[in-house]
Amino acid sequence: MSDGSEKGVTTVKQNVCVIPDLTIKDLLSAIPAHCFKRSALRSSLYIVYDLVVISGIYKTATYLDSLISPEHISLPHPLLYPAARLSLWAGYSFWTGLFATGLWVIAHECGHQAFSESKLINNSVGWVLHSALGVPYHSWRITHAKHHASTGHMTQDQVFVPKTRSQLGLPSFDPTKEDILGSSVSDEVMKELKEALGDSPIGAMLGAATYLLGGWPAYLIRNASGQKRYPKGTNHFNPDAVMFAPHQRDSIILSDIGIVLWLAGITGSVYTFGFWTVFRLYLVPYLWVNHWLVLITFLQHTDPLLPHYRASEFSFPRGALATLDRNLLGGCGSIMGWIGAQATHGISETHVLHHVSSKIPHYNAWEASDALRKRLGQSGIKLEGAPGGWGEVYRVFKECKFVEDEGNILFYKNASGLAATRPSFADGSASDSGIEIDKI
């Protein structure tokens, strides 16, 4: 996106996003039939794999910790021994949190019934794994299914719903000073928007860090970044919450029981082993799991390149394709990119496919994704974003500030009121909003 300024107006050259008119049959028919097969045994082996790796990380950290003493290693200053020990356990929490995110992903697959052919097995395994990670299994499973049904829908999606200009209390749109699609804006409006949004590198950094650390519990407890039409106080623990149906009440209560048992387990462990032991071995890795979850899902669904839809332009295929594949930790080099993908079972790398068919297990998603990408490429659609990491979260956090109250196909604008992308239909037709759409 290149910038230019003339007579107090800044203009940008925008990317073009092809708005798909594919059917779900078009998408599913591109995927080999064997990719849809689910195996309880094979899925279970990945749980064993994750637990073995995590156990190995713990054993390695414990062994190395025993060597950090003057009897085994000579360091030039006494304070370097606790510093070395702190670094060791910080590394333990990072790697344990990354591979425990793999367990989180498997529990998530259980909620999609992708773990096995048995609903009982799926929900039993999912409840145990997610409860052990502080997740209300059925409550989140239900709202997550709604997210899949309405991804990118401004009033039906459940999470990562953009805030509009009016919701943020920004100055009203002025067609004489700015373009509705975000290709140009006057310096006057740009200044007003920046002042209203408080745009700054430090603010974006702090905002992104807060989002990564507290975003997940905030979503569960108070619907942060969730559907804006839900009433204040909406949360995942209330069986009577607006996003749950009456017949789902027992499932929500069962989820709450899992959380109560989780809290009881943490409390009992603190009483038995001491707070610092539980903090070091479980709570810090738990925070890393929450961090990876938010980082991965935020970047899958938030980017200046991705469209959001109002009802008249939404369809399931469009919603499924309003997301991006990204290589987790790929920005740290090919080895870290490989480790990130393997540790989290490709949840970031095969996410578009996951939205097209959520019942495909992760071990078949790689082949299915390759086939789907070839089909999308035939329609001029490429849904691969930059590698997932902290730098990308910072960039996206800065560039994705709000969407307009007008229009039915929306793209994020930044704090200057400029959008990186505009919509285009392959057949040259326009949306019913009256906004001119490019033809490719």
Side-chain angles (χ1 to χ4, degrees):
M1 184 171 70
S2 60
D3 296 81
S5 182
E6 182 179 354
K7 295 181 180 180
V9 176
T10 298
T11 61
V12 295
K13 182 179 179 181
Q14 295 175 303
N15 301 302
V16 174
C17 173
V18 178
I19 303 301
D21 277 324
L22 298 168
T23 66
I24 190 63
K25 182 179 179 181
D26 292 331
L27 302 175
L28 294 178
S29 63
I31 302 169
H34 63 267
C35 291
F36 294 91
K37 294 182 179 179
R38 300 163 288 172
S39 167
L41 175 60
R42 188 172 181 184
S43 296
S44 298
L45 290 176
Y46 282 95
I47 297 178
V48 175
Y49 165 79
D50 290 335
L51 292 175
V52 167
V53 172
I54 291 171
S55 297
I57 296 170
Y58 168 73
K59 290 290 186 180
T60 301
T62 302
Y63 173 72
L64 292 177
D65 183 80
S66 67
L67 300 179
I68 303 176
S69 65
E71 292 79 12
H72 295 95
I73 185 173
S74 177
L75 296 177
H77 194 282
L79 290 179
L80 292 177
Y81 290 99
R85 191 167 282 112
L86 176 63
S87 299
L88 171 65
W89 288 103
Y92 158 84
S93 65
F94 174 87
W95 291 109
T96 298
L98 184 63
F99 279 90
T101 303
L103 290 172
W104 201 106
V105 170
I106 293 175
H108 151 261
E109 287 199 345
C110 289
H112 284 294
Q113 307 304 311
F115 185 85
S116 74
E117 301 286 342
S118 167
K119 187 174 182 178
L120 177 61
I121 292 176
N122 294 336
N123 288 337
S124 298
V125 173
W127 183 85
V128 170
L129 290 179
H130 260 171
S131 296
L133 293 168
V135 180
Y137 172 71
H138 287 291
S139 308
W140 185 77
R141 171 183 65 80
I142 291 166
T143 59
H144 188 61
K146 292 184 177 182
H147 159 65
H148 270 259
S150 303
T151 306
H153 195 300
M154 285 294 294
T155 57
Q156 298 298 324
D157 201 354
Q158 302 296 300
V159 69
F160 302 120
V161 181
K163 291 184 178 179
T164 64
R165 181 188 288 256
S166 62
Q167 287 171 340
L168 289 173
L170 301 176
S172 299
F173 174 75
D174 186 345
T176 66
K177 297 179 180 179
E178 52 186 320
D179 170 37
I180 190 69
L181 293 180
S183 64
S184 65
V185 62
S186 70
D187 293 349
E188 176 188 349
V189 171
M190 185 183 295
K191 181 180 179 181
E192 291 177 348
L193 291 173
K194 284 186 174 181
E195 289 177 350
L197 290 166
D199 182 53
S200 71
I202 294 178
M205 187 178 300
L206 292 175
T210 301
Y211 199 66
L212 290 175
L213 291 175
W216 173 240
Y219 170 63
L220 293 177
I221 295 170
R222 59 182 184 86
N223 194 41
S225 82
Q227 180 50 244
K228 307 299 184 289
R229 64 183 175 85
Y230 288 163
K232 186 177 180 180
T234 297
N235 65 79
H236 279 71
F237 304 99
N238 179 8
D240 298 318
V242 66
M243 64 264 208
F244 303 130
H247 72 274
Q248 296 167 334
R249 183 180 180 84
D250 290 346
S251 295
I252 310 308
I253 293 174
L254 182 60
S255 300
D256 291 347
I257 291 173
I259 297 302
V260 170
L261 292 174
W262 172 67
L263 291 172
I266 292 176
T267 302
S269 297
V270 169
Y271 180 80
T272 303
F273 304 107
F275 173 79
W276 288 111
T277 297
V278 176
F279 181 78
R280 170 169 53 96
L281 296 182
Y282 178 83
L283 292 179
V284 179
Y286 162 76
L287 293 176
W288 272 111
V289 172
N290 291 353
H291 153 275
W292 289 121
L293 169 64
V294 174
L295 185 149
I296 291 168
T297 54
F298 173 71
L299 291 178
Q300 287 166 342
H301 297 285
T302 313
D303 195 278
L305 298 174
L306 291 175
H308 291 80
Y309 301 96
R310 292 201 166 94
S312 63
E313 291 289 354
F314 178 82
S315 67
F316 176 81
R318 285 183 177 177
L321 301 180
T323 181
L324 291 174
D325 290 336
R326 299 179 185 268
N327 181 204
L328 182 63
L329 297 178
C332 298
S334 58
I335 294 177
M336 285 297 290
W338 181 84
I339 293 174
Q342 296 303 313
T344 57
H345 304 306
I347 190 63
S348 183
E349 291 76 9
T350 63
H351 194 68
V352 176
L353 177 278
H354 175 64
H355 269 267
V356 170
S357 180
S358 59
K359 282 190 176 182
I360 294 179
H362 65 86
Y363 42 81
N364 291 335
W366 300 97
E367 180 183 355
S369 286
D370 289 339
L372 179 63
R373 289 189 190 113
K374 291 179 182 178
R375 176 62 185 88
L376 294 177
Q378 295 173 5
S379 298
I381 300 171
K382 183 178 180 181
L383 298 172
E384 295 179 64
W390 296 326
E392 184 66 358
V393 170
Y394 172 78
R395 181 192 73 82
V396 171
F397 204 85
K398 273 186 65 66
E399 290 300 312
C400 297
K401 293 297 186 182
F402 70 97
V403 296
E404 292 293 350
D405 295 285
E406 302 176 44
N408 294 317
I409 300 177
L410 310 170
F411 289 87
Y412 267 112
K413 291 185 176 181
N414 60 22
S416 298
L418 295 167
T421 310
R422 65 188 293 123
S424 172
F425 288 103
D427 62 2
S429 61
S431 71
D432 62 10
S433 63
I435 296 173
E436 181 181 353
I437 303 294
D438 292 337
K439 178 179 180 180
I440 62 172

